[in-house]
Amino acid sequence: MAITEMFFWWYSRGWRIFITKAHAFLSSVTDFFSMDSLIRTLFKPYRQISAASASSTASLDIKFHMFIDRLVSRFIGFISRLVLLLAGTFIIIIGSVFSLIFIILWPLIPLLPIVGIILSTTGLTI
């Protein structure tokens, strides 16, 4: 009776729970890295730091210095956000591949003890 209930749970509710948890993991990774926010702000200055706009009476040297400050700030922001986007994408891809493999192998896991018994009685080793 307990074995049949275990098989019933494994192939119905257990499989759905596993799929739900895999989806929740991928959603939490997307939320953790704030992928949508990183894409929207990819070219924004680093930590929203930007030099104040120069007045019309400022010298050309000051305007050039402020331009370089903004350019460097945007470059640093772009690189840091790009690294986070790549890391998040990598983790999502790896998580998706492992989740898909486990979802496919899920129905075969209860059969592994039977396969082990058959292999041990025939003398085969892996």
Side-chain angles (χ1 to χ4, degrees):
M1 182 75 142
I3 292 177
T4 57
E5 288 179 15
M6 189 274 303
F7 277 109
F8 179 74
W9 178 89
W10 189 266
Y11 290 106
S12 62
R13 275 189 57 212
W15 210 350
R16 281 193 305 266
I17 290 170
F18 183 76
I19 291 170
T20 303
K21 288 189 182 226
H23 181 266
F25 169 74
L26 295 174
S27 294
S28 69
V29 169
T30 304
D31 185 51
F32 178 79
F33 282 97
S34 302
M35 302 289 267
D36 56 340
S37 178
L38 287 173
I39 291 171
R40 271 188 285 113
T41 62
L42 190 60
F43 295 105
K44 298 277 185 181
Y46 180 69
R47 294 193 178 202
Q48 305 302 320
I49 298 172
S50 60
S53 59
S55 66
S56 59
T57 60
S59 69
L60 187 59
D61 185 44
I62 292 174
K63 288 182 182 179
F64 182 72
H65 181 68
M66 293 173 78
F67 171 75
I68 295 298
D69 282 348
R70 286 192 299 267
L71 187 65
V72 168
S73 181
R74 286 184 188 274
F75 180 73
I76 292 172
F78 173 77
I79 295 298
S80 63
R81 289 180 184 100
L82 185 65
V83 167
L84 285 172
L85 275 171
L86 292 175
T89 303
F90 179 74
I91 292 173
I92 288 172
I93 289 171
I94 295 298
S96 298
V97 167
F98 278 115
S99 295
L100 186 62
I101 289 170
F102 284 121
I103 287 170
I104 292 171
L105 293 179
W106 184 266
L108 303 175
I109 293 174
L111 303 176
L112 290 179
I114 297 169
V115 171
I117 292 170
I118 291 171
L119 288 177
S120 66
T121 57
T122 59
L124 294 174
T125 58
I126 298 176

